[in-house]
């Protein structure tokens, strides 16, 4: 079984847990140590159970809690050279650098890093595989590239950024420069871009679809749902909304028969 959950999702902090057997990785950690431990406990986990921390990029909503957590539980931190060069991940006990588009293993999980257009040094997002199933975690990208479409096609579950509603962003109180940044090609996906990407990726095979990194200022679940419905049809039990304060609870992808360890 490939399982995943979130500690929180949005511009105030992100962390996603992905687990296969006793291989448990945290993708990003934008929370304090205390808050991370509290949120892990809500998912029935202790920080000491983590096998590794994967970092998508150095923005503080993804990186602020990484090095302190890694130091305390002594786990390796996986990141790109560019993310390392940002200087925001100093103090990690062990750093493993990977190149985008390489695949590597962390215990029973296979990890593929995919380069994305975002305003960080060398940002990436991840596709994780176990037991013949795959999960795409795809947030923090300002536009959709053919590379992203190719690499995330055919996922069994997807955590996808529905960051902002363009109209709400335009009318909202952000300074003009920040509005341009968020809406730009190296910012974040708006609801319509996310829906169009989903249409390109196809939704038939998806067992779970999580709408993530939803802006609390420039979006709301209703607007995101409306955009999604235009390509997805009526929303069903496969659709989950990630929240800033509690992420989302465990979701699972049972292994394809004959693949992976029965759990
Ligand atoms: Zn972010
Ligand atoms: Zn970011």
């Amino acid at each position: 079984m490939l399982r995943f959950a979130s500690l929180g999702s949005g511009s105030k902090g992100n962390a996603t847990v992905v687990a296969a057997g006793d291989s448990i990785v945290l993708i990003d950690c934008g929370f304090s140590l205390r808050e991370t431990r509290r949120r892990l406990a809500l998912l029935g986990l202790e920080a000491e159970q983590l096998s590794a921390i994967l970092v998508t990029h150095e923005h503080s909503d993804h990186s602020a809690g990484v090095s302190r957590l890694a130091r305390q539980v002594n786990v390796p931190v996986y990141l790109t050279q560019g993310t390392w060069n940002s200087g925001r991940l100093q103090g990690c006990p062990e750093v493993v650098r990977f190149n985008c588009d390489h695949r590597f293993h962390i215990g029973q999980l296979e990890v593929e890093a995919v380069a994305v257009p975002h305003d960080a040094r060398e940002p990436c997002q991840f596709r994780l595989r176990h037991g013949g199933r795959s999960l795409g975690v795809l947030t923090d990208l300002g536009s959709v590239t053919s590379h992203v479409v190719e690499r995330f096609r055919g996922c069994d579950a997807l955590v996808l950024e529905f960051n902002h509603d363009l109209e709400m962003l335009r009318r909202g109180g952000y300074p003009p420069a920040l509005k341009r940044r968020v809406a730009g090609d190296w910012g974040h996906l708006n609801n319509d871009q996310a829906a169009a990407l989903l249409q390109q990726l196809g939704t038939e095979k998806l067992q779970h679809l999580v709408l993530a990194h939803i802006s609390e200022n420039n979006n709301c679940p209703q607007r995101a749902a409306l955009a999604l419905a235009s390509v997805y049809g009526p929303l069903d039990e496969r659709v989950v909304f990630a929240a800033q304060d509690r992420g989302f609870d465990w979701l699972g992808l049972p292994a394809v028969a004959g693949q992976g360890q029965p759990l």
Side-chain angles (χ1 to χ4, degrees):
M1 176 87 102
L2 177 59
R3 300 196 308 143
F4 59 104
S6 164
L7 278 61
S9 176
S11 58
K12 290 182 189 144
N14 295 275
T16 310
V17 191
V18 184
D22 58 2
S23 306
I24 305 174
V25 303
L26 194 63
I27 300 177
D28 295 330
C29 186
F31 301 105
S32 69
L33 205 48
R34 184 194 166 101
E35 197 56 22
T36 301
R37 285 190 174 278
R38 186 186 73 79
R39 291 174 186 236
L40 282 171
L42 293 176
L43 296 169
L45 287 177
E46 288 177 21
E48 283 69 20
Q49 291 174 269
L50 295 175
S51 314
I53 304 174
L54 298 167
V55 182
T56 59
H57 64 300
E58 69 273 21
H59 289 162
S60 60
D61 56 320
H62 299 263
S63 72
V66 170
S67 63
R68 205 166 288 161
L69 177 64
R71 236 178 3 255
Q72 194 173 78
V73 298
N74 197 29
V75 290
V77 174
Y78 289 69
L79 37 61
T80 63
Q81 183 68 45
T83 300
W84 173 249
N85 287 350
S86 74
R88 304 280 282 274
L89 281 306
Q90 301 292 339
C92 297
E94 183 190 347
V95 167
V96 182
R97 294 173 187 77
F98 59 78
N99 290 323
C100 286
D101 304 317
H102 280 195
R103 294 189 187 193
F104 52 93
H105 281 87
I106 298 175
Q108 299 179 49
L109 283 166
E110 187 190 78
V111 181
E112 179 180 6
V114 182
V116 293
H118 190 55
D119 54 359
R121 295 290 184 93
E122 193 183 351
C124 66
Q125 295 292 319
F126 295 109
R127 182 167 178 169
L128 303 105
R129 294 175 171 86
H130 172 79
R133 300 291 185 196
S134 78
L135 160 70
V137 178
L138 181 54
T139 69
D140 295 76
L141 69 165
S143 46
V144 174
T145 62
S146 56
H147 181 68
V148 163
V149 174
E150 188 185 305
R151 293 304 159 127
F152 284 93
R153 196 167 265 152
C155 288
D156 301 285
L158 200 53
V159 175
L160 178 62
E161 167 166 77
F162 277 69
N163 179 261
H164 57 280
D165 174 87
L166 203 49
E167 197 52 39
M168 284 178 74
L169 177 70
R170 280 199 186 121
R171 291 186 183 177
Y174 276 17
L178 185 53
K179 287 184 182 183
R180 280 196 298 276
R181 193 224 133 206
V182 170
D185 283 348
W186 288 269
H188 292 275
L189 289 187
N190 66 44
N191 292 337
D192 296 332
Q193 288 175 304
L197 169 57
L198 205 53
Q199 195 167 32
Q200 278 188 275
L201 295 175
T203 57
E204 311 76 34
K205 207 183 156 199
L206 286 179
Q207 295 182 36
H208 303 289
L209 170 63
V210 180
L211 282 65
H213 217 303
I214 299 172
S215 169
E216 292 182 304
N217 296 310
N218 305 308
N219 206 359
C220 60
Q222 292 77 7
R223 293 262 183 153
L226 208 60
L228 173 61
S230 69
V231 300
Y232 188 88
L235 305 198
D236 53 23
E237 70 291 341
R238 297 181 294 160
V239 177
V240 170
F241 292 82
Q244 179 68 81
D245 58 347
R246 62 196 142 73
F248 58 88
D249 203 358
W250 287 109
L251 297 169
L253 292 169
V256 175
Q259 294 199 49
Q261 303 293 319
L263 294 169

